[in-house]
Amino acid sequence: MFSPGDNYKDITIVEFVGAGGQGEVYRVEVGGRSMALKVFYQKYSEPDDERRLRVLVDKKLHTLSALLRAAPQRVVHIGSRLAHLSEFISGPSLE
């Protein structure tokens, strides 16, 4: 688990949002922009998982680019864990 104020390259942790079966989600700041960072648990951070995640992110970007100007997205590593950086949308839990 990460703490508010922790920095990883250009990413600053602002707050913990929640956790689920695949990982933890944080609200982060990147270049003054509020973003979401999903940090996958170690068991989902293997090389094959990274390839699958990159394909999903590419598909999502292709779909979103036709609909709106989405925030930049990228796949990053936080230590040995795989993470997905995307637009932060505040609201209630979907559960």
Side-chain angles (χ1 to χ4, degrees):
M1 187 152 191
F2 305 104
S3 299
D6 287 353
N7 290 298
Y8 303 93
K9 297 185 181 178
D10 62 334
I11 301 167
T12 302
I13 304 293
V14 174
E15 69 177 328
F16 173 75
V17 175
Q22 294 181 330
E24 304 154 349
V25 177
Y26 298 87
R27 184 169 64 88
V28 300
E29 292 282 330
V30 180
R33 186 177 199 153
S34 186
M35 308 262 316
L37 181 71
K38 181 173 186 176
V39 182
F40 291 89
Y41 296 131
Q42 191 64 47
K43 68 180 183 178
Y44 297 109
S45 293
E46 300 301 322
D48 284 343
D49 298 313
E50 182 174 358
R51 281 190 286 279
R52 282 192 290 274
L53 180 59
R54 287 187 186 280
V55 167
L56 289 173
V57 168
D58 287 347
K59 285 182 182 178
K60 182 178 177 184
L61 285 174
H62 178 73
T63 301
L64 286 176
S65 67
L67 301 173
L68 55 104
R69 297 181 107 181
Q73 296 192 32
R74 61 185 159 148
V75 176
V76 298
H77 288 271
I78 305 291
S80 64
R81 293 171 62 184
L82 187 60
H84 176 218
L85 186 65
S86 64
E87 186 171 8
F88 181 80
I89 301 171
S90 63
S93 171
L94 297 177
E95 291 186 55

